[in-house]
Amino acid sequence: MNNYIDDECITALRVIGAEMITKAKSGHPGIVLGAAPILHTLFTRHINLDSNDEKWFDRDRFVLSAGHGSALLYLMLHFSGYDIPMKELANFRQKDSLTPGHPEYGHTSGVEMTTGPLGQGIATSVGLAIAEAHLAAKFNKQHCEIINHNTYVLCGDGDLQEGISMEAMSLAGHLRLNKLIVLYDSNDIQLDGSVSLASSDSIKNKVKAMNWNYLRVEDGNDVEEIDEAIKQAKLSDRPTLIEIKTEIGYGAPTSGESSVHGKPLTEEELAILKDNLNSRQMAFTVSKEVSDYFHSSIVVRGNQANSNWNFLMSEYAKRYKEDYELLNQYMFNDIRLDDYEGLPEFPVGSSVSTRVVMGKVLDWLSSKLPNLMGGSADLTPSTMVKGAGGIFSKVNPTGRNIKFGVREHAMAAITNGITLHGSLRGFCAGFFVFSDYMKPAIRLAAIMHLPSLFFFSHDSVCVGEDGPTHQPVEQLAMFRSMPDIHVFRPADAKEMASALLLSMDVKDNPTVIVSSRQNLEVLDCTDFDGVSKGAYIAFEPKGTPGALFVTCGSELALCIQVAKRLESEDIFVRVVSMPSMDLFESQSEEYKNKILPRRITKRMAVEMGSSMCWYKYASKVHGIDEFGKSMPLKYIPEAYGFTEEVIYNEFLDVVKN
Ligand SMILES: Cc1ncc(C[n+]2csc(CCOP(=O)(O)OP(=O)(O)O)c2C)c(N)n1
Ligand SMILES: [Mg+2]
């Protein structure tokens, strides 16, 4: 039996949640009605947040992995004192409302992460928990634990069916991230019908096999039982999944059926719901005792927790001055590169792959920037990318090198979680072709404006022998067509170092940098300023250019070679290096016209990859619009026509036409 006030609060959440969805004529009442007691218990008894200090560093993090339950999250945040007035709840899913269809980070106060694509929330939360464990190990002192918070997740059946969740949970169990607590709304129903139509695994056995602590709550309406399980979870030395048996659409005439998952209740059904739950409130209102209870148990309690923390911080500041100053730099994102001493240099004329450059420069950056944390997906010797300070683990939580294993999708989401936590900069690396496995998480980073860093090696068909499965062709087009992300494909060591340095200063977008497997000559014409503008003139002929090449990456040297040959025949051709299309697009019209003058209409683009993104800049494109073929590297340029002879002849055609 629940306390009277708990029941009153839960009913209020259920009724207003259903009203929001019915009014919007769209939304997901099933989870809102079923899981209301779970979030009620978590928020009123456990979670520490402070709506007066939204970014309080040591707050607990809550991620609604089942993003379709947004109405319930907005309600909880409203009652937690965040700036979401009741009229915005009534405006659910409407144009320009504070309450969009799925939770959006940066749009609605209190929302910790954009969710909706199932599985992303759980995986990103693993990154949040890694960040907490790392920072706690780095800064906490005996009796002065200034970093000490939990990461809570609410997920549904669908979240746990997604592969990304299993990848991420496997790593979380391995790392013994015991501050991570997943509340599983286990209602045996999903969109299409019964879960048993698609799954017959035992979640209990699965998570236990992944080194998780498993707890079960038989009655998802029982606040005390849920409360007790969360208490137990907090004591565990492993991450915990609490399976909470609920009834989807509880209280509605369609409860227990899959139709209530995503179908708003009709006005009649809403009336029946209110009757079933004994609710007498007017639409979008709550009794004073309900709002008072939420206020005292969430707002006041959270406020107090934050004050206690501030007191602890003042003690910390007195006793550990240096650490305190460093922690402040972390918290306020004030860790910057002050000097370039020791930055690896690569002499002009030497030959080095840009992946080797990436590894060396990144190692140097990690030595300068203590908040860089990340690693590779079991490809460190290939990508050359690793974090500093040893491997992050339960015994070495100050390590900043994460061994992600072959778990690319989770790796990208975990990287987002590390960055999202607020003081660390997450990065990760893999083969460029397998960015396909990471795209959904990278897309979320872009939507959230998170400055996560995604580094890739093996940027083109020049991978060679591994063949079409390992030869990227269309991946650059994928990222270049994505909004709110920076993409670099540098031409040599200098351009690569520039791209890496530039990425460190990016605050509000993810960055993708791709490197070559093969050695590339360090050119005399490449430079930092040029890369910072996205494109620049890498070769200018001695006479006024009447035509131009636009290119990037390993093809820059080839284009310059052809341009020089043409110059010797008095055909004057400019070569534009364009390592970043998006940065170039953000330049002034004046700059763009200076580099790619409108008067020069004879243009050819050259890149070992899908041609489609280049037609914006050139009428003729020499690209690769077919899958690769397995063969040694030395045969590849010829096989795809990336030779001086072919490009020269094609360019002559462009000039003549
Ligand atoms: C990656 C992804 N695939 C599909 C969907 C669409 N979708 C949203 S909720 C849902 C059903 C999930 O079932 P469950 O988690 O059990 O939610 P419940 O019906 O219990 O609310 C589906 C298929 C999605 N949001 N994300
Ligand atoms: Mg379900």
Side-chain angles (χ1 to χ4, degrees):
M1 269 288 278
N2 290 338
N3 293 331
Y4 163 78
I5 190 63
D6 285 320
D7 274 341
E8 287 293 296
C9 289
I10 291 166
T11 296
L13 294 172
R14 283 176 163 148
V15 169
I16 301 177
E19 285 169 349
M20 287 165 69
I21 294 162
T22 298
K23 182 159 185 282
K25 300 193 178 67
S26 139
H28 301 80
I31 184 173
V32 175
L33 294 169
I38 304 177
L39 287 201
H40 168 78
T41 311
L42 179 69
F43 275 67
T44 57
R45 301 190 182 195
H46 293 278
I47 215 163
N48 288 321
L49 10 104
D50 187 354
S51 47
N52 293 323
D53 181 9
E54 199 187 316
K55 294 288 171 190
W56 167 31
F57 198 66
D58 199 36
R59 70 191 182 280
D60 289 326
R61 306 304 198 264
F62 172 72
V63 171
L64 181 71
S65 195
H68 59 287
S70 54
L72 181 57
L73 176 62
Y74 298 143
L75 272 161
M76 288 321 312
L77 295 175
H78 165 83
F79 289 118
S80 304
Y82 290 91
D83 187 18
I84 309 173
M86 191 58 95
K87 73 171 183 357
E88 287 294 328
L89 296 179
N91 227 358
F92 181 51
R93 290 188 156 226
Q94 302 311 302
K95 186 167 177 287
D96 299 329
S97 74
L98 285 178
T99 49
H102 290 88
E104 293 181 21
Y105 174 72
H107 181 83
T108 310
S109 62
V111 169
E112 295 280 8
M113 180 194 164
T114 297
T115 50
L118 296 173
Q120 294 291 334
I122 294 184
T124 306
S125 300
V126 172
L128 289 171
I130 287 176
E132 197 270 349
H134 174 74
L135 294 168
K138 188 170 173 71
F139 290 105
N140 285 355
K141 310 284 176 197
Q142 223 182 359
H143 310 303
C144 209
E145 301 201 335
I146 35 148
I147 312 288
N148 183 9
H149 55 266
N150 288 294
T151 302
Y152 295 102
V153 181
L154 179 69
C155 80
D157 302 292
D159 281 293
L160 294 174
Q161 284 171 341
E162 286 290 351
I164 187 174
S165 304
M166 294 303 115
E167 292 177 20
M169 290 172 77
S170 159
L171 187 60
H174 172 72
L175 295 172
R176 298 280 199 273
L177 298 172
N178 63 320
K179 299 276 200 61
L180 175 61
I181 299 175
V182 174
L183 305 160
Y184 165 29
D185 174 36
S186 174
N187 56 21
D188 303 314
I189 292 289
Q190 57 190 111
L191 194 151
D192 254 6
S194 165
V195 171
S196 65
L197 297 171
S199 293
S200 36
D201 352 319
S202 153
I203 295 291
K204 173 182 174 180
N205 291 345
K206 256 170 129 168
V207 303
K208 282 187 149 193
M210 292 190 289
N211 295 303
W212 279 58
N213 174 34
Y214 170 88
L215 300 171
R216 186 178 166 96
V217 168
E218 277 313 326
D219 179 359
N221 279 318
D222 187 330
V223 171
E224 302 306 328
E225 204 187 338
I226 298 168
D227 179 44
E228 185 53 33
I230 298 173
K231 282 184 187 151
Q232 290 301 318
K234 284 176 169 171
L235 301 174
S236 173
D237 61 353
R238 292 156 191 246
T240 297
L241 178 134
I242 309 175
E243 177 165 5
I244 305 172
K245 296 308 297 182
T246 61
E247 185 178 11
I248 191 166
Y250 182 87
T254 44
S255 70
E257 294 172 19
S258 64
S259 63
V260 76
H261 158 88
K263 195 161 153 265
L265 305 189
T266 62
E267 291 294 343
E268 295 73 43
E269 287 170 332
L270 194 57
I272 298 171
L273 173 85
K274 289 177 86 166
D275 252 11
N276 288 347
L277 299 178
N278 270 326
S279 166
R280 311 259 169 275
Q281 287 299 132
M282 301 270 290
F284 294 102
T285 64
V286 290
S287 66
K288 184 164 176 333
E289 56 186 344
V290 164
S291 63
D292 283 353
Y293 185 72
F294 278 132
H295 185 78
S296 63
S297 60
I298 309 176
V299 184
V300 176
R301 197 175 49 77
N303 214 253
Q304 186 59 47
N306 190 1
S307 310
N308 296 347
W309 181 78
N310 273 309
F311 177 74
L312 203 61
M313 272 297 265
S314 60
E315 289 298 300
Y316 192 87
K318 276 185 239 155
R319 281 195 260 165
Y320 312 104
K321 196 166 175 303
E322 258 177 47
D323 286 301
Y324 177 76
E325 276 163 18
L326 183 62
L327 177 61
N328 269 297
Q329 279 183 285
Y330 271 67
M331 291 196 301
F332 297 105
N333 277 308
D334 194 21
I335 297 179
R336 274 169 288 157
L337 267 181
D338 315 314
D339 67 77
Y340 294 97
E341 203 191 318
L343 175 66
E345 285 178 19
F346 304 90
V348 170
S350 64
S351 192
V352 57
S353 68
T354 49
R355 64 181 164 135
V356 163
V357 178
M358 185 177 242
K360 289 194 170 154
V361 174
L362 202 58
D363 282 351
W364 175 82
L365 284 166
S366 288
S367 72
K368 297 267 177 189
L369 302 171
N371 63 335
L372 273 181
M373 187 169 188
S376 286
D378 196 36
L379 282 172
T380 311
S382 301
T383 62
M384 307 285 172
V385 171
K386 61 180 184 309
I391 295 169
F392 172 82
S393 70
K394 189 76 187 168
V395 291
N396 183 35
T398 54
R400 291 186 281 141
N401 186 25
I402 299 176
K403 290 280 180 189
F404 285 106
V406 191
R407 301 180 179 104
E408 283 90 351
H409 197 180
M411 170 172 79
I414 290 169
T415 299
N416 287 344
I418 291 170
T419 308
L420 190 58
H421 189 274
S423 60
L424 299 170
R425 195 82 193 275
F427 66 86
C428 63
F431 280 158
F432 190 41
V433 79
F434 302 133
S435 61
D436 288 352
Y437 277 44
M438 301 159 65
K439 193 223 174 176
I442 299 179
R443 184 171 189 269
L444 264 190
I447 289 177
M448 287 192 275
H449 290 279
L450 276 187
S452 298
L453 299 161
F454 302 101
F455 302 135
F456 296 103
S457 66
H458 296 57
D459 67 343
S460 75
V461 290
C462 286
V463 167
E465 292 89 338
D466 276 336
T469 56
H470 286 54
Q471 290 169 304
V473 170
E474 73 282 20
Q475 284 68 20
L476 279 163
M478 166 171 92
F479 285 118
R480 286 175 182 152
S481 65
M482 192 182 278
D484 298 325
I485 188 165
H486 296 304
V487 184
F488 292 91
R489 182 170 178 250
D492 71 353
K494 280 189 282 163
E495 281 201 0
M496 174 55 83
S498 307
L500 286 164
L501 291 176
L502 285 164
S503 73
M504 295 298 135
D505 286 334
V506 176
K507 294 269 183 278
D508 53 6
N509 284 322
T511 301
V512 164
I513 304 180
V514 292
S515 65
S516 71
R517 177 194 179 208
Q518 76 277 26
N519 285 348
L520 301 175
E521 187 189 330
V522 184
L523 305 170
D524 56 0
C525 59
T526 48
D527 79 337
F528 180 89
D529 284 346
V531 177
S532 74
K533 294 198 164 60
Y536 62 101
I537 300 166
F539 173 80
E540 191 72 334
K542 60 179 192 257
T544 308
L548 62 80
F549 276 116
V550 54
T551 184
C552 73
S554 45
E555 291 68 73
L556 176 63
L558 173 64
C559 290
I560 292 175
Q561 197 184 327
V562 175
K564 284 183 174 165
R565 174 165 165 190
L566 290 162
E567 185 183 46
S568 71
E569 296 165 12
D570 285 339
I571 300 173
F572 299 125
V573 179
R574 169 181 292 182
V575 180
V576 172
S577 176
M578 190 180 278
S580 174
M581 285 184 183
D582 57 274
L583 275 189
F584 180 67
E585 287 302 325
S586 67
Q587 303 305 313
S588 66
E589 282 308 313
E590 190 191 348
Y591 182 78
K592 287 196 256 185
N593 193 44
K594 192 174 123 201
I595 304 303
L596 296 178
R598 277 182 282 275
R599 68 169 177 81
I600 305 184
T601 53
K602 297 188 184 307
R603 302 172 176 193
M604 177 168 163
V606 181
E607 182 172 42
M608 284 187 161
S610 165
S611 60
M612 65 184 279
C613 22
W614 290 103
Y615 286 105
K616 184 167 188 181
Y617 305 110
S619 52
K620 164 81 186 166
V621 183
H622 190 101
I624 298 180
D625 291 311
E626 62 188 292
F627 288 121
K629 292 183 198 78
S630 165
M631 66 184 94
L633 173 62
K634 65 178 177 187
Y635 299 111
I636 289 198
E638 194 136 276
Y640 295 94
F642 285 83
T643 60
E644 185 187 314
E645 215 44 42
V646 172
I647 301 295
Y648 170 83
N649 284 319
E650 283 185 8
F651 199 81
L652 280 182
D653 282 347
V654 172
V655 173
K656 278 184 212 139
N657 288 321

